[in-house]
Amino acid sequence: MIRHLRTRVLSLLRFPSHLPAAHLVPLHCLLSTTVSISPKPFSVKDFLVTDCGLTREQALKTSKRLSYLTSLSRPAATLAFLSARGVPRSDIAAAVAADPRILSASVDRVLAPRFAELTEIGLSPSQIVDILSIRRTGSLRGNLLFWIQTLGTYQKMLRLAKSNCDLLSANLEKVIKPNLDTLRECGVSAFDIAGGSMYSTRLFTVKHEVLMGAIARVEELGVERGSSMFHRALAALSFLSKDILHGKIQLLRKLGFSQDELVMIVKKAPQVLALSEKKIQRAVEFLMRDVSLQAPYIAQRPVLIMYSLEKRLMPRHSLLEVLRQKGLLGVEWDYYTTAALAERKFVQKFVDPYKSSFPGLADDYASACLGKA
């Protein structure tokens, strides 16, 4: 029988099979024991809404920052960990909306150690997840204690950290404390900076030599240490190179401002120098050409250069010109007064009283403010 079987096998090897090719199965397929299973489909947006508590609108925006996910195993583990620690669903949603990458943080290597560390200094689970949505690396414990002590409350520290997350990780001894000491010497306190813009808070964490260079440039422009505008000038100019700053000064000179007027602009509104050259030129040319203002007038009120040209200055000027031509203004209003009015008050004063006399006036003005005119 064995001899017969051997003969049969040899014959199969020597002579091709008469079976159609479609019936032949490759040998590797017969030998393979691995079964290919498609991964279970998942929806990040649905997970964010159903499990994390985000709104559909938030989830649509947030999911784009989680496009790298290949499964929901780690986000589900993160969510389970935070829930087990007593973090309310609303706080989890806020943290995920602030930084979706918190869902990818390792529970064992990041979240659990950070929770243990920050619980020791008295932070609640909700406060800890707030911090971890801002920064999860660096010397959190030391920096948090320093800023809470410096500013007085956790909430003040949190507002500051949200505007500049580097405050929670920058080196205290080499960066933050030396910068604070230098700022105090200039008459600027931590509270002065904390109440300012995002750019102001960066003064705490820039390299010390960058801060010293900015101080020198501000003083060269005539802004004195201790003045109310000194820290604003620092915030506006500390991240501008000397060449860029020189270019903007030269542009203002070219537009007709004298040296004394330049000093006045910098002292009153140093943020003007943080604007682009295009913005500065268009605003000044409009104010001089269309509104017929003189350089000294603008220098006394440099905030005019900072107002939106398309959404504020031009629509208001056009509307007032119409009312002026119709003889409806009564008295001649100071231009700065009309430009500086809050939008609601401007509409109440110069739009609402004339709606019945000029059908469509309010709609035309609103469209102009939106850039649709």
Side-chain angles (χ1 to χ4, degrees):
M1 178 178 290
I2 294 175
R3 183 179 297 174
H4 175 74
L5 180 59
R6 182 183 296 171
T7 303
R8 178 60 178 160
V9 171
L10 289 172
S11 67
L12 288 173
L13 292 174
R14 289 171 182 167
F15 303 102
S17 171
H18 296 290
L19 290 174
H23 291 258
L24 298 177
V25 180
L27 181 60
H28 70 85
C29 291
L30 295 175
L31 296 176
S32 176
T33 58
T34 303
V35 179
S36 177
I37 301 175
S38 299
K40 183 179 179 181
F42 65 92
S43 169
V44 174
K45 288 192 287 291
D46 289 344
F47 176 80
L48 292 171
V49 173
T50 305
D51 297 79
C52 299
L54 274 68
T55 66
R56 281 285 172 188
E57 183 178 357
Q58 286 176 319
L60 182 62
K61 181 180 179 180
T62 302
S63 63
K64 296 176 183 178
R65 299 175 64 186
L66 296 171
S67 59
Y68 57 86
L69 288 177
T70 57
S71 78
L72 292 175
S73 58
R74 180 165 284 189
T78 297
L79 189 60
F81 174 84
L82 296 177
S83 299
R85 294 302 181 278
V87 182
R89 179 180 169 89
S90 59
D91 291 338
I92 293 176
V96 172
D99 183 8
R101 294 171 299 176
I102 193 174
L103 291 172
S104 301
S106 169
V107 171
D108 294 332
R109 295 194 305 272
V110 178
L111 298 181
R114 286 309 192 188
F115 258 78
E117 174 189 21
L118 300 183
T119 298
E120 288 181 357
I121 64 174
L123 297 188
S124 70
S126 291
Q127 290 173 330
I128 294 173
V129 81
D130 276 341
I131 297 300
L132 296 183
S133 70
I134 299 170
R135 175 70 77 176
R136 291 178 288 281
T137 59
S139 305
L140 292 184
R141 179 190 179 109
N143 286 41
L144 282 169
L145 288 173
F146 173 81
W147 285 116
I148 291 173
Q149 183 180 11
T150 299
L151 299 174
T153 68
Y154 167 83
Q155 286 300 328
K156 289 179 179 179
M157 178 280 303
L158 183 64
R159 284 197 298 270
L160 200 66
K162 285 182 176 180
S163 68
N164 181 3
C165 64
D166 289 339
L167 292 165
L168 300 181
S169 59
N171 190 295
L172 278 175
E173 301 303 325
K174 294 181 179 180
V175 178
I176 292 176
K177 289 182 179 180
N179 284 359
L180 272 174
D181 289 341
T182 298
L183 289 169
R184 290 191 189 103
E185 292 172 3
C186 297
V188 181
S189 71
F191 292 99
D192 292 330
I193 303 296
S197 66
M198 173 185 68
Y199 297 102
S200 296
T201 64
R202 290 172 63 187
L203 294 173
F204 292 132
T205 55
V206 295
K207 292 181 179 180
H208 192 64
E209 55 267 29
V210 173
L211 178 61
M212 294 301 295
I215 291 172
R217 289 195 294 276
V218 171
E219 290 181 321
E220 287 172 5
L221 292 171
V223 183
E224 298 176 355
R225 295 189 182 196
S227 67
S228 61
M229 279 295 171
F230 190 82
H231 79 274
R232 295 184 185 179
L234 270 181
L237 307 182
S238 58
F239 306 102
L240 294 179
S241 71
K242 193 170 184 178
D243 290 342
I244 291 176
L245 185 59
H246 178 72
K248 293 179 181 182
I249 294 292
Q250 290 302 109
L251 172 62
L252 287 168
R253 286 198 178 101
K254 182 180 176 181
L255 291 170
F257 294 98
S258 67
Q259 181 61 30
D260 289 342
E261 289 162 354
L262 287 173
V263 172
M264 188 180 300
I265 290 173
V266 174
K267 285 185 175 181
K268 287 179 172 286
Q271 303 94 320
V272 166
L273 295 178
L275 301 173
S276 69
E277 289 191 14
K278 180 179 178 181
K279 161 67 177 169
I280 294 172
Q281 182 164 350
R282 292 188 66 222
V284 172
E285 287 179 347
F286 170 80
L287 292 170
M288 290 183 171
R289 181 188 62 239
D290 295 65
V291 188
S292 300
L293 300 180
Q294 300 299 312
Y297 183 95
I298 299 172
Q300 286 278 358
R301 305 159 184 83
V303 70
L304 288 171
I305 303 173
M306 299 171 61
Y307 287 147
S308 171
L309 186 60
E310 289 78 10
K311 297 180 179 181
R312 190 185 192 107
L313 297 181
M314 292 175 68
R316 292 189 181 192
H317 177 66
S318 297
L319 182 134
L320 291 172
E321 280 294 293
V322 170
L323 298 180
R324 188 176 291 109
Q325 290 171 8
K326 299 291 184 180
L328 296 173
L329 283 183
V331 296
E332 189 61 33
W333 285 78
D334 174 67
Y335 180 78
Y336 174 73
T337 301
T338 62
L341 279 175
E343 181 64 17
R344 179 179 58 83
K345 291 186 177 180
F346 181 85
V347 170
Q348 289 175 347
K349 187 70 180 177
F350 297 106
V351 178
D352 291 344
Y354 308 105
K355 282 182 178 179
S356 57
S357 303
F358 295 96
L361 179 69
D363 291 339
D364 290 345
Y365 174 72
S367 296
C369 291
L370 294 174
K372 297 180 180 180

